[in-house]
Amino acid sequence: MLKNLKRKFDKKGTRGKIIRLKEDFEQLKQQIDLFKSRVDVSDELFEEFQKDRVSDEYNKVYEKDEPLVTVCVGTYNRARLLLDRSIKSILAQDYENLQLIVVGDCCTDETEKLISTIEDERLHFVNLSERGNYPEDPDFRWMVAGTATVNHALELAKGDFITHLDDDDEYTPDRIGKLIQFIKETKADIVWHPFWVENPDGSWKLNKSEEYKAGRITTSSVLYHRWFKKIPWDINAYKYREPGDWNRFRKIKYLGVRACRYSEPLLKHYKERNQ
């Protein structure tokens, strides 16, 4: 009996140590993110946000009945997926006050031809004359591929709020409408939500996105105030061994934003394909 009690105690003690180690490791990662962002974000930009966020100009977008939403999509030679999945799910939103900006990373396929067949004045397409200067290493390239396109789209964005979609993913039909209502109610600077992720075998799992941190939010699962156009994607994010989206979102987090989670999954994120 004493042996059994000792065995249970040892197991419980080991489990507790593992939990504490995980908690300590998570706190360490947060401190590292804080340090990196302290280096990346200038004092001037930090102070500018603190001042602007309480201004009438910043807050008036929350009072609009139907604020304009810009959806930014970067693409490279995925014409059919782009049209049949991404663009289709955006233009079919039950929220109609949209600006859709699609930027090609010097596409050489039929992307431009097919997009020209869509008769919707909300859609604007630009094809860059040169591809982004991405690293050759496939892992590093994955982290920052498409940076040139999303930054160009940000420059063209006119929306009160901005969101994104990968060219091979899709929204639920009510995504933007629900997020606009939510961000107006919460007065959040940025909102995010859970999303479905496709497994390699074609099955699906739910990323509950319970926290604002790496691996829990992704490019297409956020909607935010237009002010954050001031923070572009960084082509050198891979040097931190960070995906470009989290590199950007941790800088936004560092500013002390009000970030709120919407509880419903509103996105299908398909398995990654090479760019």
Side-chain angles (χ1 to χ4, degrees):
M1 183 176 179
L2 289 175
K3 288 183 178 179
N4 289 337
L5 287 173
K6 184 177 184 301
R7 192 179 298 117
K8 289 180 180 179
F9 177 81
D10 288 343
K11 287 182 178 180
K12 184 177 180 180
T14 300
R15 191 181 303 116
K17 289 179 181 178
I18 292 174
I19 292 173
R20 287 193 295 274
L21 284 172
K22 287 182 177 180
E23 292 173 348
D24 290 344
F25 182 65
E26 186 61 35
Q27 290 178 4
L28 177 60
K29 288 197 297 181
Q30 291 176 11
Q31 290 300 313
I32 292 173
D33 278 350
L34 181 63
F35 175 77
K36 289 188 292 188
S37 298
R38 177 68 181 87
V39 173
D40 292 339
V41 178
S42 70
D43 290 344
E44 291 77 13
L45 187 64
F46 185 90
E47 295 301 330
E48 182 180 351
F49 175 68
Q50 310 311 315
K51 179 180 177 180
D52 287 350
R53 73 184 309 188
V54 297
S55 68
D56 292 339
E57 178 66 23
Y58 185 97
N59 286 286
K60 71 180 183 181
V61 298
Y62 298 102
E63 305 306 321
K64 293 184 178 182
D65 291 336
E66 292 188 353
L68 178 64
V69 177
T70 297
V71 184
C72 301
V73 178
T75 189
Y76 177 68
N77 288 357
R78 291 176 177 167
R80 287 295 174 185
L81 280 176
L82 172 69
L83 266 72
D84 296 342
R85 189 181 290 166
S86 180
I87 290 179
K88 182 179 179 180
S89 76
I90 295 168
L91 296 181
Q93 290 291 299
D94 59 14
Y95 189 90
E96 297 183 356
N97 193 20
L98 303 176
Q99 175 196 29
L100 170 54
I101 300 175
V102 180
V103 179
D105 210 346
C106 193
C107 295
T108 57
D109 66 349
E110 58 183 348
T111 296
E112 186 167 6
K113 178 182 177 181
L114 292 180
I115 287 182
S116 68
T117 66
I118 301 175
E119 296 182 359
D120 194 314
E121 62 183 11
R122 298 175 298 174
L123 171 60
H124 308 272
F125 176 68
V126 177
N127 195 25
L128 300 180
S129 58
E130 296 181 2
R131 284 213 75 189
N133 186 23
Y134 310 123
E136 292 296 329
D137 181 278
D139 291 331
F140 291 164
R141 189 180 186 85
W142 168 82
M143 294 179 185
V144 295
T147 298
T149 64
V150 288
N151 280 339
H152 192 80
L154 276 183
E155 292 175 5
L156 301 176
K158 297 179 180 179
D160 300 298
F161 296 100
I162 298 173
T163 190
H164 302 266
L165 185 59
D166 289 347
D167 61 357
D168 60 343
D169 291 343
E170 62 183 344
Y171 294 153
T172 61
D174 54 357
R175 176 185 184 266
I176 293 177
K178 286 184 173 180
L179 291 184
I180 286 298
Q181 181 179 354
F182 182 64
I183 202 168
K184 288 176 63 178
E185 290 174 351
T186 59
K187 300 295 191 294
D189 303 297
I190 182 170
V191 297
W192 83 97
H193 57 78
F195 55 96
W196 293 99
V197 180
E198 185 183 20
N199 293 314
D201 64 1
S203 62
W204 292 86
K205 65 180 178 181
L206 180 63
N207 186 328
K208 296 182 179 180
S209 306
E210 293 174 333
E211 297 178 77
Y212 183 117
K213 67 179 185 179
R216 294 294 179 266
I217 62 174
T218 187
T219 301
S220 305
S221 69
V222 300
L223 180 140
Y224 53 86
H225 191 285
R226 66 187 181 194
W227 191 95
F228 300 103
K229 287 179 58 175
K230 298 174 186 286
I231 303 180
W233 268 260
D234 184 357
I235 191 69
N236 293 308
Y238 71 93
K239 295 178 181 178
Y240 275 134
R241 306 303 191 265
E242 284 181 332
D245 56 356
W246 175 246
N247 177 273
R248 182 173 184 246
F249 294 143
R250 70 162 170 79
K251 295 172 188 175
I252 292 175
K253 182 180 181 180
Y254 170 75
L255 293 173
V257 297
R258 175 171 170 76
C260 294
R261 175 183 179 270
Y262 185 80
S263 60
E264 295 180 38
L266 301 172
L267 166 74
K268 293 184 74 174
H269 181 56
Y270 287 79
K271 60 185 177 182
E272 301 287 348
R273 293 165 176 84
N274 294 330
Q275 288 215 40

